[in-house]
Structures are given as C-alpha cells and as structure tokens.
Amino acid sequence: MVVAAGSGSRLGHAVPKAFVPIAGLPILGHALRGVLSSPGVSEVVVVAPAAHRGEAQDVAAAVCRDVGSHADVTVVVGGAERGDSVAAGLAGLSPEVEIVLVHDAARCLTPVAVVERVVAAVAAGAVAVVPGTAVVDTIKQVDERGLVVATPERSSLRSVQTPQGFRREVLERAHAVSSAATDDAGLVERLGERVLVVDGDARAFKVTTPDDLETAARLLGMPAT
Ligand code: C5P
C-alpha cells in the first residue's frame, strides 16, 4: 500500500503533499512508478485524502499505462494520523495477499531495488523488514530539559525508511493492538516479533520541506514545477 493521505503542512502548499507536482508528475505518481515497476507487486492500495480520491485513481492509472503494469490499484480514504491511514489500507487489501509493503508516498524517489530487497527478505522468511541506512551524525538521547541522557553507539544505529514489508498476519495483529506509531515496524516490535533491517538508499528520503522538493527535482534532472 502507498499512504498518501497526509496534509504535508511543512511543505507550505495548498494541496496535500502527495499531490504536489515534481517535474510535472505528482509526488504520488513518482512513488507509484517505483512500486509498480517492481515485478513482485501485484496489487496496490493507495490511501488518499477524501477530496483527492479521484485524482489518486487517475494518477495511478496513468502510471500503470506508462510502466506497463497490470497490478490491481484501488484507492481508499485515509485517517487523521498515519497509523489510521495504514489501518484503512489494510482493510482495503484483497484476501489472498500474504506479503504487505507499507510505503510513504513522500519517499517518492525510492529505487525499485529497495522495493525488491524488502519483498525478497519477507519472501525468504522474515516476518517484518525495514530498509535502513547507517547514520552519519552521532545521535544523543535527551530529556525534556535538553540534557543528554544517553549516547547510543553510532555503529548500531540505522535511519529507517519505507517500504516496510510484513507477513500480512503479523501487520494485522500489530494494528489490532494499536495503530499509533511513526512506523509500522515499531508496532510489530511491540508484539515481540523480530524486525530485520536491509540496505536502504539515500534516494528513499522523505520529501518534507521545500528544500526536499528542490532536491527531488534536481535528482530527476528537472527544475521543480
Ligand atoms: O507526515 P509524514 O511526512 O510523516 O507522512 C508520511 C507519509 O504518511 C506520507 O506519505 C503521508 O501522505 C502519509 N500520511 C497518511 N495519513 C496521515 C498522515 C500521513 O497517509 N494522516
């Protein structure tokens, strides 16, 4: 599933983030290009804001035509928080799906190779898989006063991205307990299930600020529109 129901207020655009264009294609379209170009993906549920349901369907249909995908694409309406949107997406999956990827539309330049690595690791037996990259900064944990309480060993830290991949049964069990988390792997960790980190990619960064829009446009070789 691709979650695209956030408002993206930090981007400062009138339309929700997933519908802001980069080089002429909405962010959602770029994200779908990556997902639908992966031969392992047979079904995509797009989770969109209610007012953009039709536009999401049109964008998906255009990308399917463009990349020659025959995947089934459906659009459902998201919720107030990201976790609510993922829960809505889960409810929209067809019964036969056993491996589920949860992808942020905002990570719109995620290379197909990352999608395929995640699918392959779940297919090989992992119940939950997240792409991640090593962190370059030393990370401090602080308390509410800003005082440092811990300095985790940097070599053990990973900055995680999407798509995150799961055995469907495990993700559904996690969401049955609670959907409140900044990432779905966090919910699965709370169940005591093992979460595997595979190599992510710098291009899977999340478009959040106007600077990120420019970076994405530059990576696509075109000025932002
Ligand atoms: O807000 P943030 O950038 O962290 O959101 C990550 C992803 O989750 C985005 O692709 C956004 O569209 C999606 N989201 C959602 N429903 C929400 C909030 C965020 O689908 N209520």
Side-chain angles (χ1 to χ4, degrees):
M1 82 177 72
V2 177
V3 286
S7 65
S9 48
R10 289 167 289 185
L11 211 49
H13 272 255
V15 294
K17 177 158 72 180
F19 299 88
V20 172
I22 304 174
L25 183 68
I27 283 177
L28 172 63
H30 290 286
L32 286 170
R33 279 190 78 90
V35 169
L36 291 166
S37 299
S38 175
V41 173
S42 56
E43 174 174 322
V44 177
V45 175
V46 177
V47 186
H52 291 264
R53 210 175 165 166
E55 191 180 348
Q57 197 77 62
D58 293 348
V59 169
V63 172
C64 280
R65 273 196 304 278
D66 208 29
V67 303
S69 167
H70 298 289
D72 283 331
V73 181
T74 51
V75 179
V76 302
V77 173
E81 304 292 336
R82 184 184 179 283
D84 304 320
S85 295
V86 175
L90 266 177
L93 288 174
S94 54
E96 59 271 20
V97 170
E98 290 180 359
I99 294 176
V100 180
L101 301 191
V102 182
H103 190 34
D104 291 337
R107 297 184 188 275
C108 59
L109 299 187
T110 302
V112 179
V114 176
V115 179
E116 292 185 340
R117 254 194 309 276
V118 172
V119 173
V122 182
V127 298
V129 178
V130 301
T133 56
V135 298
V136 291
D137 293 324
T138 295
I139 307 285
K140 301 280 186 195
Q141 187 183 349
V142 296
D143 67 14
E144 61 289 345
R145 293 164 298 170
L147 293 172
V148 172
V149 293
T151 306
E153 172 58 37
R154 189 174 62 188
S155 63
S156 72
L157 296 174
R158 298 291 180 274
S159 180
V160 302
Q161 306 172 326
T162 72
Q164 302 192 341
F166 305 91
R167 301 293 320 168
R168 179 195 189 141
E169 174 273 319
V170 171
L171 187 60
E172 284 182 338
R173 202 150 35 88
H175 275 268
V177 176
S178 165
S179 293
T182 54
D183 77 334
D184 296 283
L187 299 174
V188 169
E189 285 159 46
R190 285 185 219 158
L191 294 179
E193 296 284 356
R194 296 220 289 205
V195 177
L196 175 70
V197 179
V198 297
D199 284 345
D201 191 294
R203 285 166 292 177
F205 72 98
K206 185 163 66 171
V207 172
T208 307
T209 64
D211 278 353
D212 295 333
L213 270 185
E214 281 184 25
T215 303
R218 207 168 50 243
L219 287 169
L220 287 164
M222 301 181 80
T225 53

